[in-house]
Each structure stands twice: as structure tokens, then as C-alpha cells.
Amino acid sequence: MRESSEARRQRILAVTASRGTVKVSDLAEELDVSIVTIRRDVEELARLGKLRRGHGVARSLTPVEQPEPRQAANGSIALVVPERHTYLYETMNGARKTLEEAGMRVVLHIAPQVRGAERPIVEKALTESVQGLLMAPRWRTSEEETEDDWLADTGVPTVLMERRPSGGLRAMNSVCSDHWYGMYLAVKHLTDLGHRRIVLAARDDSPTARVLRRAFAEISAGLEDAVTVRSSPDDTELADVLRAHRATAAVLHGDEDALMLVQQLMRAGVDVPGMCSVVSYDDVVASLGSIPLTAVAPPKTEVGKVAAELLLRKLKGEVTAAERVELLPALKIRSSTERLTVS
């Protein structure tokens, strides 16, 4: 039997009274009626002075006392990320949201761009009733990756984000993107479009960059003229490098370098993508250029979310063995790549 409008409106009042503010879309789903119907009900109840109507929400006339957020019984979660690292900030926010939804208190620590900066930060955090640790070390060089064996013995459940542990850290919990597969997506996309002379321009100052350089060398081994060059803010004329290699396509890590390359090519009269296709690796701001960039998009936010979920399971004792999780990137095809028409 269909519920009467009066009964439905009483349920709306009960829900708003218990929650304080409720989305109209949520009410429609819970009461199994259309949004239009709920909107009319809310308007009528507001006219009668029984609730307040906002933009897409219904509000109780009396404030609802909100319970204090659930706190970790024995402390907080320390979240450590490098400063000025937009990519990892997306990962950080994915972790933070998941932890806060689970009732955990998150304490953020920003590590400056100084070698060894993370260790004193972590040691200080561990003196402040930290229950668990989520961390993304900067690791500018391969040597730095081997210097952080101390992370294997923090004394609290620890999960690395967007880092694949090796050496003495191999047994640590970690969640990261499968960057080999991400590079495979980029190269396959370009070769499917007919490109064989491809340049990878990547820095060598992060674990991701080093994985991408190794992956490109392996994946492009059979191509006619695939080369890897270094990219940095000092390489102001990367377009000249592409011209010297007669490249018809380029893959760049990351977005800012790729956007700058497109600007250089356009100034040099090189049409993108008509004369040179460009793929960016990161997809943080790749879509914002005058020519939106085709980009490999690692699951940045999801890495943080899964890392936080793994840490929560560790805290509950549901995970005893170390886990290493890799998530697959996706390819976002935009305007900066097209099929090769001339060799």
C-alpha cells in the first residue's frame, strides 16, 4: 500500500530531527520516492514552520547535539608526507578521509626537502601516543631508499604509501601504484597510433621516476629509436632534444614538464599533436593546458584510501603478515595525442 503524504512527511521530520541536516537526495533514496516528491514535501513542511529548507537540504528547527568523534583508544595516527608534493597530497587526502571516517585522529607532519628529514619527525611523533604511522618518504636517490632501514622497527603498525620497499624494508606493509603498468599504457597508446621514435623525459629524483625510466627502457626495447633523457627545470629547450632525435612522440613525468614542453613546441612551430604527440605521467593538472594532455593517471587518492584501510586492519589485529598492494593506473586520452601520419 502506498504511503500517504502525511505519513511520509512525518518520517521526514523524524529523520531531520535525529540528524539535524539531511540531503533531499538522501531522503528520496531512503523513502523510495522521487526527488521532486521530497522537494515538494520539504517546501510544504518549511511553509508550515516545521523545518527549514536549504539548497538541496532539509534542516531541523532545533540544533542536534552531535556526538564527539570516536577517537583512537590509545592515541592518533601520524601521517608523514614531503612538503610541496601535490601528487602525494592527493594520496594524503585519501588516507585522511578514510581514517577520519573510521573515527581516528590524524596528525599531519610535513617533511622538509632535506635528506634524512623524516626520521626526527617520526621519532618525535612516536613520543606522542601515536598508534600507527602512514608515510610517504621522499627518497630522492636510490641510496636514500637503503638508508631508511629504521622504518622497519618503528614499534607501531606502519604502512608506506606510493613507495615499494626494498632491501631491509622489503617486509614492510605498502600500497603503491603499479608504475610499470602505467608506462606500459603510455607506450602502447603511442605505438598503437603508429609512433616508433619516442622520447621519455623523466627526472631521477624520486622512486616513481626511477621506476618509470627502468620500465620505459624495458617496454620500448624493440622500438626504432626510443630514448630516455633527463628533465628538470634547467632543461629549458627540451623541444630541441626531441628534434635532434626526430621524435614523433614524448612521454613526460610529470604534468608541469609536459605542459611546458607543449609551450616550447608551439613556440617552435611544432604542431601538437599533428607533428608530435605528448603524454604526461601523473594527471594532476594535465587536463588544464591549452591543449589538454593525454595522461597516465595513477590512482593517487585510492592509494591513500587502501593504505589507511590496511593500517586499520593492522590495528584491529586482522592482518599479521606484511602486505604489499599495487593498484593499476588508468590512461586518460585527451587532445595531445593522435595517429602518426608521416614518418
Side-chain angles (χ1 to χ4, degrees):
M1 182 175 178
R2 196 171 196 179
E3 184 180 49
S4 69
S5 61
E6 181 59 26
R8 187 175 59 248
R9 289 170 184 175
Q10 289 301 318
R11 292 176 64 191
I12 292 173
L13 289 174
V15 172
T16 55
S18 65
R19 302 183 195 173
T21 301
V22 190
K23 291 183 179 179
V24 169
S25 57
D26 290 344
L27 286 168
E29 182 177 351
E30 292 178 27
L31 275 60
D32 197 24
V33 294
S34 70
I35 291 180
V36 172
T37 298
I38 292 295
R39 189 177 293 121
R40 289 172 180 166
D41 288 341
V42 169
E43 288 174 353
E44 178 61 14
L45 290 168
R47 187 186 70 79
L48 294 172
K50 295 183 177 181
L51 54 69
R52 288 183 294 156
R53 181 166 63 93
H55 182 66
V57 298
R59 294 191 175 93
S60 173
L61 293 178
T62 56
V64 176
E65 185 176 344
Q66 299 292 337
E68 289 295 321
R70 290 187 295 118
Q71 300 292 329
N74 298 315
S76 58
I77 302 299
L79 183 56
V80 183
V81 295
E83 70 170 329
R84 300 176 187 174
H85 205 305
T86 306
Y87 178 107
L88 286 175
Y89 285 178
E90 291 192 34
T91 302
M92 171 195 72
N93 283 323
R96 177 189 56 80
K97 181 178 179 181
T98 300
L99 291 170
E100 289 179 347
E101 288 177 351
M104 307 299 283
R105 178 171 178 263
V106 178
V107 180
L108 177 63
H109 301 271
I110 305 297
Q113 300 183 47
V114 178
R115 186 166 184 164
E118 288 96 346
R119 184 165 188 171
I121 290 174
V122 171
E123 289 176 345
K124 177 67 165 57
L126 292 174
T127 68
E128 300 171 351
S129 301
V130 167
Q131 191 177 10
L133 173 66
L134 280 177
M135 184 172 178
R138 185 178 291 276
W139 286 347
R140 285 186 174 275
T141 67
S142 299
E143 291 74 21
E144 287 182 35
E145 294 186 41
T146 64
E147 292 174 354
D148 282 347
D149 286 359
W150 58 271
L151 277 171
D153 190 26
T154 61
V156 297
T158 301
V159 179
L160 298 182
M161 303 184 299
E162 203 58 287
R163 298 292 183 255
R164 177 186 290 183
S166 60
L169 302 180
R170 187 172 294 275
M172 288 192 68
N173 298 282
S174 68
V175 179
C176 62
S177 303
D178 185 342
H179 294 302
W180 190 99
Y181 180 73
M183 182 55 68
Y184 169 79
L185 290 177
V187 175
K188 185 177 187 301
H189 174 62
L190 292 172
T191 55
D192 285 350
L193 294 175
H195 297 279
R196 295 295 181 271
R197 292 194 289 272
I198 304 172
V199 168
L200 167 67
R203 305 182 187 186
D204 193 20
D205 60 356
S206 74
T208 298
R210 291 187 287 275
V211 171
L212 293 178
R213 293 166 71 91
R214 292 193 297 268
F216 182 77
E218 180 180 340
I219 295 165
S220 65
L223 298 183
E224 176 183 340
D225 185 17
V227 297
T228 300
V229 299
R230 292 178 65 89
S231 66
S232 74
D234 296 330
D235 294 333
T236 57
E237 291 304 328
L238 185 56
D240 292 340
V241 177
L242 269 64
R243 188 179 301 111
H245 289 285
R246 297 184 298 124
T248 63
V251 181
L252 282 93
H253 177 229
D255 293 351
E256 291 184 8
D257 287 344
L259 291 169
M260 292 176 63
L261 172 63
V262 170
Q263 294 172 6
Q264 292 176 23
L265 291 172
M266 293 173 65
R267 287 198 301 268
V270 177
D271 177 58
V272 177
M275 299 171 66
C276 183
S277 288
V278 176
V279 176
S280 176
Y281 198 102
D282 274 357
D283 199 37
V284 175
V285 294
S287 64
L288 303 181
S290 57
I291 300 176
L293 299 178
T294 292
V296 176
K300 300 174 281 292
T301 301
E302 191 70 11
V303 166
K305 176 177 180 290
V306 174
E309 291 172 343
L310 174 56
L311 181 61
L312 290 170
R313 288 190 289 120
K314 294 285 289 183
L315 291 171
K316 294 176 182 177
E318 298 174 357
V319 179
T320 54
E323 291 191 12
R324 182 178 299 175
V325 181
E326 290 193 352
L327 305 179
L328 298 182
L331 180 70
K332 305 293 183 66
I333 299 177
R334 301 190 180 101
S335 305
S336 65
T337 55
E338 71 175 22
R339 182 166 294 279
L340 180 65
T341 55
V342 295
S343 59

